[in-house]
Amino acid sequence: MALKAVNVTDVPNLDQVPENNASLSLYSSRFNSEGLELNSEATFKVPKFLVIGHRGHGMNILQSSDSRMKAIKENTILSFNSAAKFPIDFIEFDVQGTVFEKRVTELSLEEFLCFGPQREAGKQGKSLLRKTKDGKILNWNVETDDSFCTLAETFQKVDPSLGFNIELKFDDHIVYQQDHLIHVLQVILQVVSEYAKDRPIIFSSFHPDAAQLVRKLQNTYPVFFLTNGGTQVYYDVRRNSLEEAIKVCMEGGLQGIVSEVKGVFGNPGAVPRIKESKLSLLTYGKLNNVPEAVCMQHLMGIDGVIVDFVQEISHAVDDMIIKPLNEGLREGDEETETKSKLQFSQQELSFLLKLIPELIQH
């Protein structure tokens, strides 16, 4: 289930959403002094290899035999602050969603908060079920539960040094009119404008029109287009490849792409094309829970990863990528960053990139 943006009856018009300064640096104490920044040309600079906690401390996969996938309820304050204990840069979470046949945006705030654990002592919440990709309905049981929250509460209660990757969630099976998309995005932007302060923020969405619209509605925060990178086929062809994702970004003035990691490993030649287009590239997917796969992406020039195993991957990145680079910088070695990315020869790296598409098919 996704977070609810805010409970409102009157949505501001386009010209009522506060304008922001495009040169504002999205600085956080978790980054170096460069921070995250949109410059005057609306390009986006990532100052380090980013580690982002998926739905906080990690996505819940209820049918998994791995207890880590059922440790803490996803998309909750507890999950977000649990992730903040580790050396990560952002948490990713969904805004919007569905409950059975009714969308979260159609629920009142009171209805939304009635599901799951309740904050009031002695109050019993409505039972929460979850539908798996194969159609099974399971009780949403985790080891450590927590109540759901609003977007505003997330800003107020989560460690302020932690950046937010806000995924704008829309139903794949619904054709949205532009007025509806604008209505939803304005509500979210109003909350962000009121509560964000200096917190680093990235917007992302699988919905190409929503991604381009949120870029038009504000010019402070970078917007990334989410794609499966060709690992699934959709009616909207803009969602079916990394090449199409580049087009969406260039046409809409977006700052980057978030791809399923298998889409990148299956098409490694797209990475230099993305970089040539001055776009940042992040990835998500199960392979991002494997330290070796994450390090390979760093070698390929990918800018960061969204992960479920927050503790394991954040420490692996810290040990294998961040610390060696920082130690070299302290010693005044200007070539440290280049050296850290060339632990393999160019010939060896080329061989590995050719091998990866074969590996992920098995």
Side-chain angles (χ1 to χ4, degrees):
M1 181 187 289
L3 279 64
K4 192 170 180 64
V6 66
N7 186 33
V8 296
T9 53
D10 298 312
V11 179
N13 293 322
L14 271 171
D15 57 1
Q16 290 177 296
V17 177
E19 291 187 4
N20 296 299
N21 187 343
S23 63
L24 176 65
S25 177
L26 310 187
Y27 175 74
S28 164
S29 60
R30 290 177 182 254
F31 303 108
N32 61 25
S33 58
E34 293 179 352
L36 293 177
E37 186 173 332
L38 269 179
N39 64 26
S40 59
E41 297 179 348
T43 57
F44 177 61
K45 183 178 181 180
V46 177
K48 55 174 285 192
F49 187 78
L50 300 179
V51 179
I52 303 171
H54 190 201
R55 301 186 184 179
H57 192 262
M59 178 181 179
N60 296 151
I61 300 181
L62 303 179
Q63 66 273 34
S64 174
S65 58
D66 192 325
S67 60
R68 291 174 293 183
M69 307 303 295
K70 296 173 283 189
I72 303 173
K73 175 70 69 62
E74 66 181 44
N75 278 338
T76 62
I77 300 296
L78 178 61
S79 182
F80 301 152
N81 281 327
S82 295
K85 297 175 182 177
F86 302 102
I88 66 171
D89 308 292
F90 281 76
I91 52 169
E92 180 272 352
F93 56 81
D94 309 326
V95 178
Q96 282 192 50
T98 56
V99 179
F100 297 106
E101 298 302 321
K102 196 171 186 180
R103 297 190 62 79
V104 167
T105 47
E106 297 172 350
L107 298 172
S108 69
L109 184 59
E110 291 76 15
E111 287 177 314
F112 172 77
L113 296 176
C114 279
F115 287 90
Q118 299 297 293
R119 300 170 188 176
E120 297 178 25
K123 187 176 180 181
Q124 186 70 30
K126 296 180 181 179
S127 60
L128 201 58
L129 304 177
R130 188 161 188 174
K131 188 176 182 179
T132 64
K133 289 186 176 181
D134 57 5
K136 294 180 181 178
I137 305 296
L138 302 175
N139 288 314
W140 198 340
N141 296 327
V142 294
E143 292 177 17
T144 306
D145 216 336
D146 192 22
S147 55
F148 287 117
C149 54
T150 65
L151 181 58
E153 287 174 323
T154 303
F155 276 108
Q156 293 171 312
K157 296 179 180 180
V158 173
D159 184 332
S161 72
L162 196 61
F164 284 177
N165 173 191
I166 302 176
E167 182 187 339
L168 308 167
K169 204 82 168 179
F170 295 91
D171 194 316
D172 289 341
H173 304 292
I174 296 177
V175 177
Y176 295 95
Q177 298 301 313
Q178 185 174 22
D179 288 348
H180 176 78
L181 291 175
I182 291 173
H183 175 102
V184 171
L185 295 174
Q186 284 179 320
V187 172
I188 295 169
L189 289 173
Q190 194 72 25
V191 178
V192 172
S193 176
E194 183 174 353
Y195 293 100
K197 298 181 181 178
D198 294 327
R199 189 187 297 273
I201 292 172
I202 296 171
F203 288 111
S204 62
S205 182
F206 281 104
H207 196 296
D209 296 329
Q212 292 180 343
L213 275 172
V214 78
R215 177 70 186 90
K216 290 179 181 178
L217 289 170
Q218 58 82 46
N219 59 5
T220 296
Y221 304 113
V223 181
F224 282 44
F225 179 51
L226 271 159
T227 177
N228 291 97
T231 59
Q232 288 179 263
V233 178
Y234 295 90
Y235 178 77
D236 189 336
V237 296
R238 295 175 295 176
R239 299 183 59 183
N240 288 341
S241 69
L242 288 170
E243 286 72 23
E244 288 294 330
I246 294 172
K247 291 179 185 177
V248 170
C249 291
M250 301 306 292
E251 291 170 1
L254 310 189
Q255 284 71 43
I257 294 169
V258 186
S259 174
E260 218 292 346
V261 62
K262 286 187 177 182
V264 175
F265 281 166
N267 183 13
V271 177
R273 291 195 291 274
I274 290 169
K275 295 298 178 177
E276 289 165 5
S277 302
K278 297 183 179 180
L279 298 171
S280 297
L281 176 60
L282 307 175
T283 66
Y284 71 93
K286 291 181 180 179
L287 282 176
N288 281 356
N289 295 322
V290 180
E292 292 80 4
V294 171
C295 288
M296 173 58 71
Q297 292 177 68
H298 177 252
L299 292 172
M300 293 170 67
I302 290 167
D303 298 299
V305 290
I306 299 174
V307 306
D308 292 305
F309 296 166
V310 169
Q311 179 176 355
E312 294 84 349
I313 299 302
S314 63
H315 286 316
V317 169
D318 204 41
D319 290 340
M320 292 188 280
I321 299 173
I322 305 300
K323 285 181 180 177
L325 179 59
N326 289 341
E327 288 171 2
L329 291 175
R330 282 196 295 270
E331 294 169 1
D333 185 353
E334 295 180 357
E335 297 182 0
T336 299
E337 184 174 1
T338 302
K339 288 178 180 177
S340 72
K341 288 188 177 183
L342 293 177
Q343 295 173 23
F344 294 103
S345 70
Q346 197 60 45
Q347 184 177 7
E348 289 170 331
L349 185 57
S350 176
F351 171 77
L352 287 170
L353 292 179
K354 291 177 181 177
L355 181 63
I356 285 172
E358 298 295 326
L359 293 176
I360 64 175
Q361 292 178 10
H362 301 286

